[in-house]
C-alpha cells in the first residue's frame, strides 16, 4: 500500500475524487428528488442524460486543446469556474424550474467532462511511466467511486437538509479540489515532453484531435478493443444499473431514500473491491497478455449472469444487493483493465484526444441507454427491460469478437504499435 501514499498521487487523487464527488452530488440528489416527486424513471433519466451527453461536446471538440495544456493549471481554473456555476443552481430550486435546472446540470457537466480529460492528461504529466501504469486504474476509478458515494450521501442530505445545502457542499468541493491541486508537483521531464509533443503536432481544426484518435484506433486493435469494452461497461452495465438504483429500492422493496442509499453504498464498496482485486492480481502476474482476454470475457459473462438472475431476487433485498454488487464489481474489473491498456498504448501527445473520443462515445450512448431503459421500465416493467438489456450485451460482445477475428484474419501480420517497454513494479520504499 505504500505506493499509494505518495504525495503526488494522494493530492491528485483526492483532488480528482472530491471534484467528481461535487459534480455528481447535486445531479444524483436532484434525480432522486424528481423520481420521488413524479414517480417517473424517464424524468430521472433525462437528468442523467443531460449530465452524460455533455461528454460528447468536450470529447470531440475540446480534447485536442486539453492535450496541449498544463494539466495542473487547467484543473485549478476549471474547478474554480465550476464552483461558481454550481452556485447558480440556487436560482432554480423552486417549483416549475426543472428545465432551468437541467440546463445548469448540462453546463456543469461540460466543465466536469473537461476536468475528466484534464485529469487523464495529468497521468502523463504528474508521474513517470512506471507510476502512470501503476496509478491509472485507481485514478480512473475515482469517477464511479465518487458517483456511488455521492448517491449514498446525497439522498440523506436531501431528506434531512435540502437542496440548498447540497449546492453549497458541491461548490465547496470544487474549491477544495482546486486548493489541493495547487500543491501537486508535476514530473518536470514528462510535463515538458508531453507539451512539446502535443504542441508540435500543430492541430488547428476543432475536429483534428478526434480524427487523430479514430485513426489511432484503426491502426491499433488493442486500443479499439479497449474503447469498445469501456463503452460497453458504461452503457449496457452502468447506465442501466444507475437507473435501477433509483427505481428498485422503492418499487420492489418500498425502502425509499434508505434503500437508494443502501444500493449506492454497496456500489461504492464493490467498486473499491474491483479496483484493488484487479491491482492485486495484476501486480502479482495473475493477469498476463496470454490470459487477459479470458479474464475480460469471464468478467463480462459473470456480470451478465448476475443481471439475468436479478429478477429472481425481487422478494429478497439481500440477494438483490448481492447480485447487484457482483455486476458492479465485474464491470469495474472490465473498466480498469481496459483503461490501463488504452493509456499504455496511446502516445502521450494524444492521450486526452483518445480518452475524449472514448468518453464522448461512451457517455453519449450512456444517456441513450439510460433513457431507453427507463422508458422500458416505465412501459414494460423492470424484468422485461432487464432481459432486453442482457440480450443486447450478448449481441454486442459476440458481434465485436466476431468482427475482431475477421479483421485479424484478413489483415497482414503486423507487429505491435510502438510503445515503451512494460515497466517494472514501482518500488515500495
Amino acid at each position: 500500500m505504500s505506493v499509494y501514499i505518495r504525495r503526488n498521487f494522494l493530492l491528485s487523487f483526492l483532488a480528482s475524487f472530491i471534484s467528481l464527488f461535487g459534480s455528481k452530488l447535486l445531479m444524483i440528489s436532484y434525480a432522486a428528488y424528481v423520481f420521488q416527486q413524479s414517480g417517473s424513471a424517464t424524468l430521472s433519466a433525462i437528468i442523467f442524460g443531460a449530465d452524460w451527453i455533455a461528454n460528447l461536446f468536450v470529447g470531440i471538440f475540446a480534447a485536442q486543446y486539453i492535450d496541449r495544456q498544463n494539466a495542473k493549471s487547467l484543473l485549478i481554473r476549471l474547478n474554480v469556474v465550476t464552483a461558481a456555476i454550481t452556485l447558480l443552481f440556487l436560482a432554480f430550486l423552486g417549483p416549475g424550474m426543472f428545465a432551468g435546472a437541467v440546463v445548469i446540470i448540462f453546463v456543469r457537466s461540460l466543465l466536469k467532462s473537461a476536468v475528466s480529460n484534464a485529469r487523464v492528461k495529468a497521468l502523463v504529466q504528474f508521474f513517470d511511466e512506471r507510476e502512470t501504469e501503476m496509478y491509472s486504474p485507481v485514478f480512473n476509478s475515482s469517477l464511479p467511486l465518487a458517483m456511488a458515494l455521492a448517491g449514498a450521501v446525497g439522498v440523506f442530505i436531501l431528506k434531512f437538509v435540502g437542496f440548498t445545502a447540497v449546492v453549497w457542499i458541491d461548490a465547496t468541493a470544487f474549491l477544495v479540489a482546486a486548493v489541493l491541486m495547487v500543491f501537486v508537483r508535476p514530473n518536470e521531464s514528462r510535463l515538458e515532453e508531453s507539451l512539446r509533443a502535443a504542441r508540435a503536432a500543430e492541430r488547428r481544426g476543432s475536429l483534428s484531435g478526434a480524427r487523430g484518435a479514430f485513426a489511432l484506433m484503426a491502426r491499433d486493435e488493442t486500443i479499439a478493443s479497449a474503447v469498445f469494452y469501456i463503452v460497453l461497461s458504461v452503457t449496457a452495465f452502468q447506465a442501466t444499473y444507475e437507473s435501477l438504483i433509483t427505481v428498485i429500492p422503492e418499487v420492489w422493496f418500498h425502502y425509499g431514500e434508505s434503500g437508494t442509499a443502501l444500493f449506492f453504498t454497496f456500489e461504492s464498496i464493490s467498486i473499491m473491491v474491483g479496483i484493488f482485486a484487479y491491482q492485486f492480481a495484476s501486480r502479482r502476474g495473475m493477469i498476463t497478455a496470454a490470459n487477459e482476454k479470458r479474464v475480460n470475457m469471464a468478467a463480462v459473462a459473470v456480470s451478465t449472469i448476475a443481471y439475468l438472475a436479478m429478477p429472481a431476487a425481487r422478494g429478497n433485498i439481500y440477494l438483490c444487493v448481492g447480485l447487484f454488487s457482483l455486476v458492479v464489481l465485474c464491470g469495474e474489473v472490465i473498466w480498469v483493465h481496459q483503461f490501463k491498456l488504452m493509456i499504455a498504448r496511446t502516445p502521450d501527445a494524444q492521450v486526452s484526444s483518445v480518452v475524449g473520443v472514448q468518453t464522448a462515445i461512451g457517455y453519449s450512448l450512456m444517456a441513450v441507454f439510460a433513457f431507453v431503459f427507463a422508458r422500458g421500465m416505465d412501459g414494460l416493467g423492470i424484468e422485461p427491460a432487464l432481459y432486453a438489456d442482457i440480450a443486447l450485451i450478448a449481441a454486442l460482445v459476440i458481434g465485436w469478437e466476431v468482427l475482431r477475428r475477421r479483421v485479424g484474419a484478413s489483415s497482414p501480420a503486423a507487429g505491435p504499435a510502438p510503445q515503451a517497454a512494460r515497466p517494472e513494479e514501482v518500488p515500495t520504499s
Side-chain angles (χ1 to χ4, degrees):
M1 290 298 293
S2 60
V3 295
Y4 298 114
I5 58 175
R6 296 180 178 181
R7 173 197 174 94
N8 259 18
F9 172 76
L10 283 178
L11 285 172
S12 54
F13 178 81
L14 287 174
S16 175
F17 176 81
I18 291 169
S19 175
L20 290 167
F21 178 85
S23 72
K24 296 298 181 184
L25 181 62
L26 186 145
M27 185 270 292
I28 291 175
S29 299
Y30 191 62
Y33 171 77
V34 168
F35 181 73
Q36 291 165 16
Q37 297 298 311
S38 66
S40 171
T42 302
L43 289 181
S44 294
I46 289 173
I47 297 168
F48 286 119
D51 179 58
W52 294 330
I53 201 71
N55 292 278
L56 174 65
F57 297 93
V58 174
I60 297 297
F61 297 106
Q64 78 274 4
Y65 169 80
I66 294 171
D67 262 327
R68 299 196 294 269
Q69 303 306 307
N70 181 312
K72 174 180 175 177
S73 300
L74 185 59
L75 284 166
I76 292 171
R77 294 196 301 270
L78 287 171
N79 278 297
V80 171
V81 172
T82 306
I85 295 296
T86 297
L87 291 176
L88 293 179
F89 206 94
L90 293 171
F92 295 91
L93 302 184
M97 304 297 284
F98 178 77
V102 170
V103 170
I104 295 297
I105 287 173
F106 178 76
V107 174
R108 290 172 72 253
S109 297
L110 288 173
L111 294 166
K112 180 267 296 179
S113 181
V115 167
S116 295
N117 273 270
R119 68 189 179 88
V120 172
K121 191 65 180 181
L123 282 170
V124 299
Q125 292 185 357
F126 293 177
F127 312 112
D128 63 32
E129 291 182 2
R130 292 179 296 177
E131 290 171 330
T132 296
E133 185 188 33
M134 169 68 67
Y135 296 143
S136 61
V138 179
F139 213 71
N140 185 55
S141 295
S142 58
L143 172 58
L145 180 61
M147 188 168 185
L149 290 178
V153 173
V155 291
F156 278 106
I157 294 176
L158 177 63
K159 182 176 178 65
F160 295 110
V161 181
F163 264 121
T164 300
V166 172
V167 174
W168 283 105
I169 290 171
D170 282 357
T172 302
F174 294 124
L175 292 177
V176 170
V179 171
L180 288 174
M181 192 56 60
V182 169
F183 297 99
V184 172
R185 296 172 183 166
N187 183 298
E188 292 298 332
S189 62
R190 288 205 84 192
L191 172 61
E192 292 176 8
E193 179 185 351
S194 168
L195 293 177
R196 182 171 60 252
R199 291 170 180 174
E202 295 184 353
R203 294 187 179 118
R204 301 297 182 186
S206 59
L207 293 175
S208 57
R211 286 197 297 268
F214 280 117
L216 181 62
M217 292 178 205
R219 294 194 304 270
D220 192 318
E221 185 270 341
T222 299
I223 296 177
S225 186
V227 170
F228 170 81
Y229 279 105
I230 293 170
V231 170
L232 180 77
S233 68
V234 300
T235 53
F237 289 121
Q238 189 179 2
T240 52
Y241 73 60
E242 296 294 351
S243 297
L244 288 173
I245 287 174
T246 64
V247 177
I248 281 181
E250 177 61 35
V251 174
W252 280 8
F253 303 105
H254 307 292
Y255 282 173
E257 296 95 338
S258 60
T260 302
L262 174 69
F263 276 83
F264 272 121
T265 300
F266 272 89
E267 181 189 6
S268 64
I269 294 171
S270 299
I271 289 168
M272 289 297 295
V273 172
I275 295 168
F276 288 104
Y278 171 80
Q279 288 287 75
F280 179 88
S282 180
R283 293 185 64 202
R284 283 156 181 79
M286 300 176 191
I287 300 176
T288 65
N291 70 5
E292 63 183 10
K293 183 176 179 180
R294 291 194 297 274
V295 171
N296 187 69
M297 296 305 295
V300 173
V302 171
S303 56
T304 304
I305 291 170
Y307 245 148
L308 186 63
M310 196 172 292
R314 182 166 186 159
N316 188 324
I317 184 68
Y318 304 106
L319 180 58
C320 188
V321 170
L323 290 170
F324 170 80
S325 299
L326 188 58
V327 171
V328 176
L329 189 153
C330 291
E332 184 63 18
V333 169
I334 297 167
W335 189 348
V336 296
H337 178 61
Q338 299 299 332
F339 184 83
K340 181 178 179 179
L341 289 178
M342 182 174 66
I343 295 298
R345 299 282 296 196
T346 302
D348 290 356
Q350 289 181 273
V351 68
S352 287
S353 295
V354 170
V355 173
V357 166
Q358 170 258 302
T359 304
I361 296 170
Y363 283 91
S364 298
L365 289 177
M366 196 175 185
V368 175
F369 269 61
F371 181 79
V372 172
F373 187 71
R375 290 292 295 170
M377 286 193 292
D378 283 342
L380 302 174
I382 295 174
E383 294 179 23
L386 271 173
Y387 294 141
D389 189 48
I390 292 164
L392 182 61
I393 292 170
L396 287 172
V397 172
I398 293 171
W400 174 255
E401 292 300 329
V402 169
L403 177 63
R404 285 179 69 183
R405 283 194 181 182
R406 289 184 177 178
V407 171
S410 62
S411 300
Q419 61 175 331
R422 186 177 181 85
E424 299 296 326
E425 184 175 310
V426 180
T428 58
S429 57

